[in-house]
């Protein structure tokens, strides 16, 4: 399996000063879906990144500066501002998230500041293929798809986008504008006439992919990524052509 990634900063507080080189104020925030927000942030002059890369980001408040989390940049490198699409996880139902994204989604306003380190690896485009995303796992693909559209290189690419419910889907209009009928949105916890139903698994993929001799880009919850990676290999995909996010 091919995990295209530069070294990700270590978690914890000992290396915080080294990886929080950049600061920017929130210039705009907008709700895109249930617990999903777009944040537009000032772009430091010395900050550079590639489509698909992420940063370790924290809220610039005393009690939150050490609570950094990885978030993917969804803007293009040429954009004068940075954009993040971030899903918030309420602690009451997601105690493992420790409240950082909940605080970000509930309390952070225009004018507040975030701090973040240099961009690191994550998913890198290696040629036409199939993008497979689960929920917020779509975020590394947003900047990649935007870059491909700008370069007029979207031909040969498809997107499978899985969410639990209709209210969880975001940026659907832009994705369909870019890829048209090559986008398939599926729901796992409800049915709707405008969406397909069911989890993306081996049978689902076999019924929708004609050739497994191509690139596959997979991002989403770790169990989903693991299961789909195994299914793709069982269906004949080259392990080196399966690009996943390195979370180590």
């Amino acid at each position: 399996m091919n995990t295209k990634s530069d070294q990700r900063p270590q978690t914890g507080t000992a290396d915080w000063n080294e990886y929080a080189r950049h600061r920017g104020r929130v210039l705009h925030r907008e709700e895109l879906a249930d617990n999903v927000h777009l944040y537009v942030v000032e772009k430091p002059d010395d900050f550079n990144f590639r489509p698909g890369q992420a940063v370790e980001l924290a809220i610039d408040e005393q009690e939150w500066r050490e609570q950094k989390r990885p978030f993917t940049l969804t803007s293009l490198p040429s954009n004068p501002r940075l954009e993040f699409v971030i899903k918030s996880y309420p602690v009451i139902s997601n105690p493992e998230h420790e409240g950082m994204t909940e605080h970000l989604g509930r309390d952070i306003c225009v004018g507040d500041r975030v701090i973040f380190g240099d961009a690191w690896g994550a998913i890198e485009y290696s040629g036409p293929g199939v993008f497979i995303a689960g929920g917020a796992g779509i975020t590394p693909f947003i900047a990649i798809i935007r870059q491909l559209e700008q370069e007029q290189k979207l031909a040969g690419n498809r997107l499978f986008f899985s969410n639990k419910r209709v209210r969880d889907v975001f940026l659907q209009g832009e994705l369909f504008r870019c890829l048209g009928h090559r986008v398939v949105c599926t729901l796992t916890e409800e049915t709707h006439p405008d969406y397909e139903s069911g989890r993306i698994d081996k049978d689902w993929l076999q019924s929708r992919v004609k050739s497994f001799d191509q690139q596959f880009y997979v991002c989403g919850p770790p169990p989903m990524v693991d299961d789909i990676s195994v299914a793709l290999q069982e269906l004949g995909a080259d392990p080196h052509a399966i690009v996943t996010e390195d979370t180590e």
Side-chain angles (χ1 to χ4, degrees), residues 146-195:
R146 288 173 172 172
Q147 184 74 37
L148 293 174
E149 181 190 31
Q150 187 179 80
E151 297 174 352
Q152 298 184 342
K153 294 181 179 179
L154 281 170
N157 288 291
R158 300 180 69 191
L159 169 65
F160 299 151
F161 188 17
S162 176
N163 287 276
K164 293 180 179 179
R165 300 166 294 272
V166 173
R167 68 174 185 264
D168 298 322
V169 184
F170 55 93
L171 296 182
Q172 177 177 296
E174 179 179 0
L175 296 171
F176 274 93
R177 177 180 59 77
C178 290
L179 292 167
H181 67 279
R182 290 172 289 162
V183 176
V184 177
C185 291
T186 184
L187 305 176
T188 61
E189 292 189 0
E190 67 181 20
T191 59
H192 189 281
D194 294 334
Y195 297 83

Side-chain angles (χ1 to χ4, degrees), residues 95-245:
E96 71 278 9
H97 285 271
E98 300 178 344
M100 187 275 192
T101 60
E102 182 178 34
H103 178 48
L104 187 67
R106 183 187 60 208
D107 303 319
I108 296 305
C109 302
V110 170
D112 290 336
R113 193 164 64 177
V114 294
I115 52 181
F116 49 95
D118 290 332
W120 50 275
I123 290 178
E124 186 173 335
Y125 184 69
S126 302
V130 180
F131 294 91
I132 304 173
I138 189 72
T139 55
F141 303 152
I142 295 171
I144 292 173
I145 290 171
R146 288 173 172 172
Q147 184 74 37
L148 293 174
E149 181 190 31
Q150 187 179 80
E151 297 174 352
Q152 298 184 342
K153 294 181 179 179
L154 281 170
N157 288 291
R158 300 180 69 191
L159 169 65
F160 299 151
F161 188 17
S162 176
N163 287 276
K164 293 180 179 179
R165 300 166 294 272
V166 173
R167 68 174 185 264
D168 298 322
V169 184
F170 55 93
L171 296 182
Q172 177 177 296
E174 179 179 0
L175 296 171
F176 274 93
R177 177 180 59 77
C178 290
L179 292 167
H181 67 279
R182 290 172 289 162
V183 176
V184 177
C185 291
T186 184
L187 305 176
T188 61
E189 292 189 0
E190 67 181 20
T191 59
H192 189 281
D194 294 334
Y195 297 83
E196 294 201 19
S197 299
R199 296 183 180 278
I200 300 177
D201 56 17
K202 183 177 179 180
D203 291 339
W204 196 98
L205 290 165
Q206 191 168 29
S207 68
R208 291 164 178 83
V209 178
K210 292 182 179 179
S211 172
F212 290 89
D213 184 19
Q214 59 179 315
Q215 291 288 130
F216 291 91
Y217 305 89
V218 187
C219 191
M224 172 189 173
V225 173
D226 292 343
D227 290 347
I228 289 177
S229 298
V230 170
L232 288 170
Q233 292 179 65
E234 291 177 348
L235 290 166
D238 183 345
H240 298 291
I242 303 172
V243 180
T244 63
E245 185 175 19

